[in-house]
Amino acid sequence: MAERLSNSREVLFQYAQHMLEVLDWLATYGAAPDGGVTRLLYTEPWLQAQQALLAKMQELGLEASFDAVGNVYGKLQGNRYTLRPVLTGSHVDTVKNGGKYDGAYGVVASMMALGYLKAVYGVPKRSLEVVSFCEEEGSRFPLAYWGSGHVTGVRSLAGSIDVADPEGITLSEAMREAGFQTANLGDHPAKREDIGAYIEIHIEQGSVLGYKKKQIGIVTAIVGQIRLTVVVKGNSNHAGTTPMTMRKDALAGASEMVVVTEQMALEEGEPLVATVGRLHVKRGTSNVVPGEVEFTLDIRHTDELKMDLFCTKLLTKLNEIARRRELTIETVENLHASPVAMHEGISAEIETACTAYGFQSMKLPSGAGHDAQLFGPICPSAMIFVPSRGGISHSPDEFTEPEELVVGFQTLVHVLYQYGYGGKADEIL
C-alpha cells in the first residue's frame, strides 16, 4: 500500500508538471508577439485550440468529442451508470489580447486531473468529464456564456444566430465557417440534463488571496450580472456648419451617460459595480457631428434586487439625458445572471482537501462571472480559486506562480477522486 501511495505521488507530480507544459502549449493558439492571447469564438485560433484539446484528451485515454455548438468533452466513463456524472472544466475563449490563465487553466487542470486519475486508479464508479466550453467572455458577440449556456439550456439558437460581431459577421455565419451547422438542430442542440455536479477551478482575477497570503479560495457565491448594449442616436451633420446650439450630438450625449453611470455607481457604493467597457462611434469622422453611438453596460451586485433596482434607476436617468438632448436611446439586455450560491457539500470537500494537504485556504465570493454561475441553479456547483499576481486579469500581464497552479491542481484531483472513486462516489447528486 505504501509503495502504491509513493508511486501515485510521483505520478501526480509528473501530471502536475505536464499540466504546466500544456498550459504554455495552449497559449500558442492565438498568441500575439507581446505575449497576449486572443481566441475569439469560432475564429481560426479558437478552432485550432479546441481541436488540439480534443486530441490531447484522447491521448490521456478520455472519450473526446465536440457537441453541436463547439464545446469539447473528454469523458472518463464510470462503471455505475445510475450515478450522474461530475463535470469539471472551464472556457477556452479569451478577451482580446488577454492572458493565458483565465479559463485555460481550468480546462487544462481538469483534463490532466482526469488523465491522472485514469492512469493511477483506472475506471471510476461515477463518470467524470472535463469540458472546454466554447465561449464565456462575450468578447466577439454580445452573448456571454454561449458554451455553458447551451449545456444548461439558458442559451438557444433561436433569436441568437443573427446577432453580429463588430465586423458585421453573424453568429450563424461564424458557426458555419468553423464547421458547425445551425440548420435543423432545434433551439437547444447541446443541452444536457444528466449532469450530477459541476466543479470549476479558476484563477481568482482579484488580489484577495494574494493579500491574505492564501493558496486556495473556496468560492461561496458568484455575483449577479446584467449586460446591456445601449444605442444612442442623434443627427449626423457637418462639424463646421452646424452651430453648437443646433446639434444633436450622439457622442456628447453618450459621454454624459458614461459619466452619470460612474457617478451613480459611486453613490450606490460597494459591492455594486457598473462599467462601460466598449464605446463605438458609428461612421465616426473627425469633421462630422456623431449621429450614432453604441456602448456596453455591465452591472454587478451580490444582491439581485439591488442590482435590478440600480439598473432601472440608471436607465431612467439615461433616458432623461436623451430627451433633454433630443436624442433617441435603445437598450438591449444581453445577459441577466442572478447571484448564485455555491454548494456547501462540495465546498466542504474542497476545504477538507486543503486541511489534509496543509494548504492555506479561505472562503470568498467571486466578483467575476463564471460558467459555474449557470450550473448553480440546476446542479450542485463549486469553484476553486488560485491566486492572481496583483489581481491582474484579462491582460498579457496575467500571472499565477507555477507552485500555486500545482496546489490548485492537487486540490481538484482530491475532490474529483472523492466523487469518482472515494467516499462521495455513491452519493446521489
Side-chain angles (χ1 to χ4, degrees), residues 35-46:
V37 181
T38 301
R39 287 192 298 266
L40 304 184
L41 179 64
Y42 299 135
T43 61
E44 188 64 24
W46 170 92

Side-chain angles (χ1 to χ4, degrees), residues 281-294:
V281 182
K282 298 288 184 71
R283 296 174 294 279
T285 306
S286 62
N287 61 347
V288 175
V289 178
E292 183 175 344
V293 173
E294 179 180 293

Side-chain angles (χ1 to χ4, degrees), residues 49-379:
Q50 286 290 67
Q51 290 172 332
L53 284 169
L54 184 144
K56 188 67 70 175
M57 291 177 190
Q58 290 174 330
E59 288 177 18
L60 292 168
L62 307 178
E63 301 171 19
S65 62
F66 275 98
D67 71 7
V69 298
N71 297 316
V72 171
Y73 288 97
K75 186 173 185 179
L76 178 53
Q77 179 66 55
N79 56 23
R80 297 190 182 176
Y81 295 91
T82 56
L83 296 173
R84 293 157 71 89
V86 169
L87 183 65
T88 182
S90 195
H91 59 97
V92 73
D93 71 309
T94 70
V95 298
K96 293 181 179 178
N97 203 35
K100 69 177 183 180
Y101 301 95
D102 180 5
Y105 170 58
V107 173
V108 174
S110 298
M111 179 174 67
M112 299 309 298
L114 265 58
Y116 164 77
L117 291 171
K118 183 177 190 299
V120 174
Y121 299 102
V123 177
K125 296 178 182 178
R126 180 196 308 276
S127 293
L128 301 172
E129 296 185 49
V130 55
V131 61
S132 175
F133 289 120
C134 62
E135 194 273 348
E136 185 257 11
E137 299 285 6
S139 296
R140 183 179 182 185
F141 300 95
L143 297 167
Y145 306 105
W146 185 248
S148 57
H150 272 279
V151 177
T152 58
V154 173
R155 290 293 187 197
S156 69
L157 290 180
S160 299
I161 56 176
D162 293 327
V163 171
D165 68 8
E167 281 69 49
I169 300 172
T170 66
L171 187 57
S172 59
E173 291 169 342
M175 287 184 72
R176 288 195 296 272
E177 182 67 23
F180 301 95
Q181 300 303 313
T182 59
N184 304 317
L185 292 178
D187 291 345
H188 301 283
K191 184 178 180 180
R192 293 184 56 177
E193 297 179 343
D194 64 326
I195 297 170
Y198 176 71
I199 303 170
E200 182 172 5
I201 189 166
H202 207 282
I203 60 170
E204 182 194 353
Q205 299 178 280
S207 55
V208 176
L209 293 178
Y211 180 77
K212 297 285 189 179
K213 293 181 169 50
K214 302 296 183 180
Q215 297 166 288
I216 293 292
I218 304 167
V219 179
T220 56
I222 303 174
V223 298
Q225 185 178 5
I226 297 173
R227 290 192 189 184
L228 302 137
T229 299
V230 181
V231 179
V232 182
K233 294 181 180 180
N235 284 343
S236 180
N237 220 326
H238 196 290
T241 63
T242 309
M244 297 299 293
T245 56
M246 296 174 61
R247 296 185 178 195
K248 297 180 180 178
D249 188 327
L251 180 55
S255 299
E256 183 179 353
M257 293 174 189
V258 172
V259 172
V260 164
T261 297
E262 181 187 43
Q263 290 174 341
M264 290 182 63
L266 287 169
E267 291 169 3
E268 182 71 21
E270 296 181 356
L272 180 128
V273 291
T275 305
V276 175
R278 181 175 62 84
L279 188 147
H280 175 61
V281 182
K282 298 288 184 71
R283 296 174 294 279
T285 306
S286 62
N287 61 347
V288 175
V289 178
E292 183 175 344
V293 173
E294 179 180 293
F295 64 90
T296 59
L297 266 178
D298 183 311
I299 301 166
R300 306 186 190 203
H301 202 295
T302 53
D303 185 309
E304 185 167 22
L305 182 61
K306 292 180 179 179
M307 178 178 70
D308 291 345
L309 182 59
F310 176 84
C311 185
T312 299
K313 290 193 298 184
L314 176 60
L315 293 183
T316 298
K317 185 64 176 179
L318 300 191
N319 275 280
E320 290 175 1
I321 294 171
R323 284 195 297 272
R324 172 164 48 79
R325 289 178 169 270
E326 298 184 70
L327 306 169
T328 63
I329 182 172
E330 301 171 3
T331 59
V332 177
E333 185 176 277
N334 301 312
L335 175 70
H336 191 298
S338 300
V340 174
M342 296 291 94
H343 190 262
E344 292 183 1
I346 302 177
S347 297
E349 194 58 42
I350 297 170
E351 190 170 16
T352 297
C354 292
T355 300
Y357 296 119
F359 300 153
Q360 297 298 310
S361 67
M362 65 174 290
K363 296 177 182 179
L364 76 171
S366 172
H370 296 285
D371 292 302
Q373 190 163 7
L374 275 68
F375 283 92
I378 67 168
C379 68

Side-chain angles (χ1 to χ4, degrees), residues 80 83 125-126 349 414-429:
R80 297 190 182 176
L83 296 173
K125 296 178 182 178
R126 180 196 308 276
E349 194 58 42
H414 175 97
V415 176
L416 292 176
Y417 171 83
Q418 291 301 319
Y419 283 94
Y421 303 82
K424 301 287 184 178
D426 295 317
E427 283 193 6
I428 303 299
L429 297 173

